[in-house]
Amino acid sequence: MKAAAPPRGFGIEEYEQRTDNAQRRMARDGVDALLLTTEADIRYFTGFLTAFWQSPTRPWFLVIPSAGKPVAVIPEIGRECMAACWIDDIRTWPAPRFIDDGISLLADLLHVCCLAGGAVGTPMGPESHLRMPLDDYMALRDRLANLTFCDATPVIRDLRMLKSEAEIAKLRHICGLVSDGFANLASIAAVGVVEREIFRRFRIDLLSRGADDVPYLVGGSGPDGPRDIISPPSGRSIAPGDILMMDTGAVFDGYYCDFDRNVGFVEVTDEACRAYDTVYRATEAGLRTARPGATSGDLWAAMAPHLEDAGSGRFGHGLGMQLTEPPSNMKDDATVMQPGMVMTLEPALAFGDGGIMVHEENLVIRDGPPELLTQRASRDIPVLM
Amino acid sequence: MKAAAPPRGFGIEEYEQRTDNAQRRMARDGVDALLLTTEADIRYFTGFLTAFWQSPTRPWFLVIPSAGKPVAVIPEIGRECMAACWIDDIRTWPAPRFIDDGISLLADLLHVCCLAGGAVGTPMGPESHLRMPLDDYMALRDRLANLTFCDATPVIRDLRMLKSEAEIAKLRHICGLVSDGFANLASIAAVGVVEREIFRRFRIDLLSRGADDVPYLVGGSGPDGPRDIISPPSGRSIAPGDILMMDTGAVFDGYYCDFDRNVGFVEVTDEACRAYDTVYRATEAGLRTARPGATSGDLWAAMAPHLEDAGSGRFGHGLGMQLTEPPSNMKDDATVMQPGMVMTLEPALAFGDGGIMVHEENLVIRDGPPELLTQRASRDIPVLM
């Protein structure tokens, strides 16, 4: 590890600020209580960090009332872990209890939070899902028939898009670690080595450098790079003339990087070099445009002229507690860049016989030029001998 | 690696069988089309394996009609990966497209699958969630107002609970790898080493042995073991007299192990030794009861007399493509054990000043005694000097 790791967790004032921001927005939007069910949303307001979400068996609930601290309604097994956070009011039940998996507790709480006719907001819009059984959600609504349920996607989206400096420090750290890992790729990847083994070594390398985990690692190899950019590595061996693409989402303290690198072996076709150059220049155009006041659509428009079939393309997105977050660098996304937003630029180009060239960088919108969190990809495609 | 890894993927006949089983059950339950939205459910019927699910941005849909192959309605970015599976009918859209994120495509397909008044089944019950925006689900229902939507949890649950020998081979492999890793713990954990560093080394060790990933690794240490069994490792250093507990969900080809081990350092209190012995004997009682015809409740009842406060306890669960699956070894779970079910036994005991002793083993229900997939925990708590 080159740089010292930033401190883990956040000070209580950060959670107070997030909660205060949510409550101001709730007041503006007429939301009396915010109901959250997903890992990232609950962690954002509590600091509750555990891999236990891998188990789909139990639902977890967090309610943000119009004033005061969030209230956790969670399985008993999570009490100790939640009690170590800043939350005071923790209500538990012995989950799983399929006859009433927290629904009575949750209904009682929401009933107190909202006057008759009040509104419970929960994310229902793009990029959201409700992490609880649908039958239980319907039962909750039946029990609270005097309340309305409304979409609170914008509340969460607008809050979480703007990162604090403490959040950015974690993102900078993981981007730096993985940049160092990519710089070391020559010691890991070579002609004759099986894709799956290269990916395994890379995962181990990133853990050794201080990544907590590498939940996302996809890509592949081929004469014009992989044809499929979301598959796990295969049993294919690297051959001369191949391009290897690795796209990596590693985490530090619950914050993700998301970027890829391309590397050739022995020789690279002129066509692939041109594709690399084109996508590199598209990224440069995106970097020049990534300023406060520009929209996601402007970022798209800066990159699109370099790329074919750009119409419906998504050339990057928000980044933070999840691998991909709003906004999307798409033609129609009018989200305005603000200092503190963390974005990826991810132009892609189809070329040759079914090849795809994708570049990706991670950055922070700042007053003036963006802060690049990733070590910029090399100007020309690196070729390992 | 001691044992050779089993082949990756499954033969097409396995997917045909799963689909056929689903369609028979659908006919019995009056379900005309099964709508699936989660990673595990979609992978079960297709073999679609990708870490891309880490990105919450795009919904993915699989529809199982009353006859014929499943039909995929997925983001364009997944076409190549899905086309490598056995699925022929792949309908894509340029996702994310927030104005119509696959809903028109999905509605058209369901409309053809179901006669007027027909039933679309989707999991709505315990341990399920709908992985798509709630607003989109409501819009889908509005567009298909002449169809009914019903809970299909039992269809999926009953099918996935019974594992094929090919699935069991993957589970046996990952359980064996992690058992070997635990046997090597003395080379990783020692007095003076920080918890987080031990967990990091263990994760690296498991990857080196052939695990594809280690999505779940929790636990901790303390004089009577950890007080919290779901937290990530801390910055605490191991001290003489500590017990370290590590609970591990590693995967091979998309199949999980889920078991823990406890190890003491230098010396262990009599009280902790007694707790270890008690929980060990509870596991033995579970192993003697794990026979075809016994229920999950019987497994609970075999272990409960050994343990305090057992009433609402859940002493193990199903295991497979997810870290935790149905059924639950709980008092009221009447699921009948059948050969081919893969279960964990996970008795737990509170002891001392807030300590918790948890043991866990993974097994296959067989005619006669179960097949233990994990190398049985040692009879007495191992103590590292």
Side-chain angles (χ1 to χ4, degrees):
Chain A
M1 277 180 266
K2 273 187 206 168
R8 289 179 183 264
F10 296 100
I12 285 180
E13 65 284 0
E14 176 124 2
Y15 295 110
E16 287 171 341
Q17 187 65 59
R18 293 176 185 179
T19 303
D20 189 55
N21 288 343
Q23 287 165 338
R24 284 166 196 266
R25 177 63 183 257
M26 287 161 60
R28 211 182 90 191
D29 291 3
V31 173
D32 299 297
L34 192 59
L35 168 61
L36 303 174
T37 63
T38 63
E39 191 274 338
D41 285 347
I42 292 179
R43 174 157 55 95
Y44 185 73
F45 289 104
T46 62
F48 184 70
L49 179 64
T50 167
F52 201 73
W53 292 90
Q54 284 289 326
S55 165
T57 297
R58 297 170 183 84
W60 302 72
F61 308 109
L62 189 76
V63 172
I64 302 189
S66 57
K69 288 188 179 186
V71 180
V73 180
I74 60 172
E76 177 60 31
I77 197 170
R79 179 187 285 279
E80 285 284 334
C81 187
M82 184 63 84
C85 305
W86 75 302
I87 305 301
D88 299 324
D89 191 347
I90 303 170
R91 308 177 186 191
T92 69
W93 78 100
R97 186 179 63 195
F98 298 133
I99 204 77
D100 176 9
D101 231 358
I103 299 307
S104 293
L105 277 178
L106 182 58
D108 290 349
L109 172 61
L110 290 171
H111 181 71
V112 171
C113 288
C114 304
L115 296 174
V120 177
T122 197
M124 302 179 180
E127 309 192 45
S128 78
H129 71 272
L130 185 73
R131 191 189 179 277
M132 65 184 288
L134 200 53
D135 276 348
D136 282 356
Y137 176 70
M138 294 305 176
L140 181 72
R141 292 195 59 155
D142 284 347
R143 289 178 67 137
L144 297 171
N146 63 334
L147 302 182
T148 57
F149 280 69
C150 63
D151 177 26
T153 305
V155 177
I156 296 296
R157 175 190 152 101
D158 290 356
L159 269 186
R160 284 185 43 199
M161 263 189 329
L162 275 184
K163 270 70 178 179
S164 70
E165 289 304 322
E167 289 183 286
I168 291 169
K170 297 180 200 293
L171 291 160
R172 187 186 295 119
H173 185 64
I174 192 63
C175 287
L177 285 183
V178 176
S179 294
D180 291 346
F182 275 125
N184 183 47
L185 210 53
S187 77
I188 283 177
V191 167
V193 184
V194 169
E195 270 183 16
R196 199 176 283 129
E197 182 58 25
I198 294 171
F199 280 60
R200 183 185 311 283
R201 291 177 189 174
F202 189 57
R203 203 183 279 272
I204 289 172
D205 182 74
L206 297 183
L207 292 170
S208 304
R209 289 174 191 277
D212 291 339
D213 197 4
V214 189
Y216 187 70
L217 183 54
V218 301
S221 64
D224 280 332
R227 284 155 177 269
D228 169 7
I229 57 171
I230 70 165
S231 281
S234 75
R236 181 182 186 280
S237 294
I238 301 291
D242 277 356
I243 293 174
L244 168 70
M245 187 279 280
M246 302 175 84
D247 192 359
T248 308
V251 294
F252 173 77
D253 203 24
Y255 282 76
Y256 275 87
C257 69
D258 177 19
F259 67 106
D260 78 334
R261 290 294 178 259
N262 294 271
V263 57
F265 292 88
V266 184
E267 57 184 347
V268 176
T269 63
D270 289 347
E271 194 165 23
C273 286
R274 276 197 301 275
Y276 187 99
D277 179 68
T278 298
V279 181
Y280 186 94
R281 285 185 290 110
T283 308
E284 288 292 302
L287 287 170
R288 285 192 298 272
T289 306
R291 300 287 187 281
T295 65
S296 299
D298 292 337
L299 291 177
W300 176 89
M303 293 182 269
H306 296 269
L307 310 164
E308 289 165 32
D309 295 326
S312 61
R314 178 180 186 246
F315 302 141
H317 49 79
L319 176 69
M321 302 169 67
Q322 290 169 300
L323 181 72
T324 68
E325 296 186 351
S328 292
N329 296 336
M330 291 168 63
K331 194 173 187 174
D332 300 326
D333 193 321
T335 307
V336 176
M337 296 295 117
Q338 301 172 61
M341 286 176 61
V342 175
M343 299 292 300
T344 79
L345 296 178
E346 188 178 16
L349 178 73
F351 76 103
D353 182 23
I356 309 169
M357 179 64 70
V358 183
H359 286 196
E360 193 166 16
E361 303 285 1
N362 301 164
L363 59 85
V364 189
I365 302 293
R366 297 293 193 187
D367 287 317
E371 175 190 349
L372 204 55
L373 297 178
T374 43
Q375 188 179 313
R376 186 78 174 94
S378 63
R379 182 64 191 82
D380 298 304
I381 186 166
V383 180
L384 302 181
M385 285 301 153
Chain B
M1 274 179 269
K2 274 187 205 168
R8 289 180 183 262
F10 296 100
I12 285 180
E13 63 285 0
E14 176 124 2
Y15 295 111
E16 287 173 340
Q17 187 64 59
R18 293 176 186 180
T19 303
D20 190 54
N21 289 342
Q23 287 165 338
R24 284 166 197 265
R25 177 64 183 257
M26 286 162 59
R28 212 182 90 191
D29 291 1
V31 173
D32 299 295
L34 191 59
L35 168 61
L36 303 174
T37 63
T38 64
E39 191 274 338
D41 285 347
I42 292 179
R43 174 156 56 95
Y44 185 74
F45 289 105
T46 62
F48 185 70
L49 179 64
T50 167
F52 201 72
W53 293 90
Q54 283 289 325
S55 165
T57 297
R58 298 171 183 83
W60 302 72
F61 308 109
L62 190 76
V63 172
I64 302 188
S66 56
K69 287 189 180 184
V71 180
V73 179
I74 61 172
E76 176 60 30
I77 197 170
R79 180 186 285 277
E80 286 284 334
C81 186
M82 184 63 83
C85 305
W86 76 302
I87 304 301
D88 299 325
D89 190 346
I90 303 170
R91 307 177 185 191
T92 69
W93 77 99
R97 186 179 63 194
F98 297 132
I99 204 75
D100 176 9
D101 231 359
I103 299 307
S104 292
L105 276 179
L106 182 58
D108 290 349
L109 172 60
L110 290 171
H111 182 71
V112 172
C113 289
C114 304
L115 296 174
V120 176
T122 197
M124 300 179 182
E127 308 191 45
S128 79
H129 71 271
L130 184 74
R131 191 189 178 277
M132 65 184 288
L134 200 53
D135 276 349
D136 282 356
Y137 175 71
M138 294 305 175
L140 180 72
R141 292 196 60 156
D142 284 347
R143 289 179 66 140
L144 297 171
N146 63 333
L147 303 183
T148 57
F149 280 70
C150 63
D151 177 26
T153 305
V155 177
I156 295 295
R157 175 190 151 101
D158 290 356
L159 269 186
R160 284 186 43 199
M161 262 189 331
L162 276 183
K163 270 69 179 179
S164 70
E165 289 303 323
E167 289 183 285
I168 291 170
K170 297 179 200 294
L171 292 161
R172 186 186 294 119
H173 185 64
I174 191 63
C175 287
L177 285 184
V178 176
S179 294
D180 292 345
F182 275 125
N184 183 48
L185 210 54
S187 77
I188 283 176
V191 168
V193 184
V194 169
E195 270 183 17
R196 199 176 283 130
E197 183 57 26
I198 294 171
F199 280 60
R200 185 184 309 282
R201 291 178 189 172
F202 190 58
R203 202 183 279 271
I204 289 172
D205 182 74
L206 298 183
L207 292 171
S208 304
R209 290 173 191 279
D212 291 339
D213 198 3
V214 189
Y216 186 71
L217 182 55
V218 302
S221 63
D224 280 332
R227 283 154 178 272
D228 169 9
I229 57 171
I230 71 165
S231 281
S234 74
R236 181 182 186 280
S237 294
I238 300 291
D242 277 356
I243 293 174
L244 169 70
M245 187 280 280
M246 301 176 85
D247 191 0
T248 307
V251 294
F252 174 77
D253 203 24
Y255 282 77
Y256 274 87
C257 69
D258 178 18
F259 66 107
D260 78 334
R261 289 295 179 259
N262 294 272
V263 57
F265 293 87
V266 184
E267 57 185 346
V268 176
T269 63
D270 289 347
E271 194 165 25
C273 286
R274 277 196 300 275
Y276 187 99
D277 179 68
T278 298
V279 181
Y280 186 93
R281 285 185 290 111
T283 308
E284 289 291 304
L287 286 170
R288 285 191 298 272
T289 306
R291 300 287 188 279
T295 66
S296 298
D298 292 337
L299 291 176
W300 175 88
M303 293 182 268
H306 296 269
L307 309 165
E308 291 164 31
D309 296 326
S312 60
R314 178 180 185 245
F315 302 141
H317 49 79
L319 177 69
M321 301 169 68
Q322 289 168 305
L323 182 72
T324 68
E325 296 186 352
S328 293
N329 297 336
M330 290 168 62
K331 193 173 190 175
D332 299 327
D333 193 322
T335 307
V336 176
M337 294 296 118
Q338 300 172 63
M341 286 174 59
V342 175
M343 300 291 300
T344 79
L345 297 178
E346 189 178 15
L349 178 72
F351 77 101
D353 182 23
I356 309 169
M357 180 65 70
V358 183
H359 286 196
E360 193 165 15
E361 303 284 1
N362 301 164
L363 59 85
V364 188
I365 302 293
R366 296 292 193 188
D367 287 317
E371 175 190 350
L372 205 55
L373 297 178
T374 44
Q375 187 180 314
R376 185 78 174 95
S378 62
R379 183 62 189 84
D380 298 304
I381 186 166
V383 180
L384 302 180
M385 286 302 154

